[in-house]
Amino acid sequence: MSTQTPEQIIAAADTAVREADNALSQLEDRVIADDSSVTPGDIEHARSHRYWAGLQHKRETARAERLRAEEAERRRLAALAEAERLLAEHPLAAIDARMQDVRDAVAALRAEVDAYNQCAAAAFRVMSTDNAVPAVTVRPGSPRQRTPGLAWAYYQGAPMLWRDGDVIQRLDREHIVKRSTDLSAEG
């Protein structure tokens, strides 16, 4: 296999054609200048040599094109192989698996929030049923009592539960889910 580049192959063929053209032209010039040492056989040999150089030029041009096409195909196959390798590093299946992990985690988070809300409602019912734990009086505009432990009351008609003065609020499940995905995007 040749180590020449397509450009070198064509350049060598161009040189051979130019040299054959020059040799023929010089012989013709010598005949015109009345050099009787040049024979018709010399002219015919130079023309034949020029014709042969032209054929070789066509052959070498075709060879150079084949080499270019082969090199282009090697580059194409190498690029495809590299692209496949890169895509295999992080396949879509891995993302699908992570998406399923997220769906499972969100479902578990929703279930935990629902369970929390149900437990808080049940705790309120246990304490408020038959006033088992006496209700705390809460008036709008007045500061809430800092009762230690658990306490309950109806505030403006809505059930209210708190621990050590901190309100135990019913959680908004979708707000919690959104907050958790917002936090994961930050860090």
Side-chain angles (χ1 to χ4, degrees):
M1 181 166 164
S2 172
T3 58
Q4 288 182 304
T5 66
E7 292 72 24
Q8 291 169 327
I9 291 169
I10 290 175
D14 286 345
T15 299
V17 167
R18 262 193 319 277
E19 287 173 357
D21 280 341
N22 286 342
L24 177 60
S25 179
Q26 286 174 4
L27 284 175
E28 290 171 343
D29 289 346
R30 285 175 54 196
V31 169
I32 293 169
D34 201 24
D35 182 346
S36 59
S37 67
V38 177
T39 66
D42 293 336
I43 297 290
E44 192 54 42
H45 182 265
R47 281 190 181 144
S48 177
H49 182 70
R50 169 53 182 90
Y51 180 74
W52 180 250
L55 289 177
Q56 287 180 319
H57 188 276
K58 288 179 183 180
R59 179 190 68 203
E60 295 301 293
T61 299
R63 183 172 144 224
E65 287 306 312
R66 279 192 310 276
L67 289 174
R68 285 184 181 122
E70 289 168 3
E71 178 58 25
E73 181 64 8
R74 275 193 295 278
R75 283 192 319 269
R76 185 184 77 81
L77 292 174
L80 286 172
E82 178 65 5
E84 288 292 351
R85 185 194 68 75
L86 289 168
L87 288 171
E89 283 184 12
H90 295 284
L92 189 55
I95 293 171
D96 291 341
R98 292 289 178 239
M99 289 292 290
Q100 187 57 50
D101 292 347
V102 169
R103 285 190 290 274
D104 293 344
V106 167
L109 178 59
R110 284 183 173 132
E112 287 294 326
V113 170
D114 289 346
Y116 173 89
N117 286 336
Q118 289 169 2
C119 288
F124 181 86
R125 280 192 305 277
V126 165
M127 291 187 335
S128 65
T129 299
D130 296 329
N131 211 20
V133 175
V136 175
T137 304
V138 180
R139 292 188 177 84
S142 62
R144 187 171 53 243
Q145 299 174 14
R146 300 295 288 179
T147 307
L150 287 173
W152 70 276
Y154 280 101
Y155 180 71
Q156 297 181 340
M160 183 177 184
L161 185 64
W162 63 89
R163 175 182 289 125
D164 299 328
D166 294 324
V167 175
I168 299 174
Q169 297 181 350
R170 177 173 180 79
L171 298 177
D172 179 340
R173 184 174 65 177
E174 295 312 310
H175 176 72
I176 298 287
V177 168
K178 181 170 180 356
R179 267 189 51 219
S180 70
T181 56
D182 289 348
L183 291 174
S184 66
E186 292 172 6

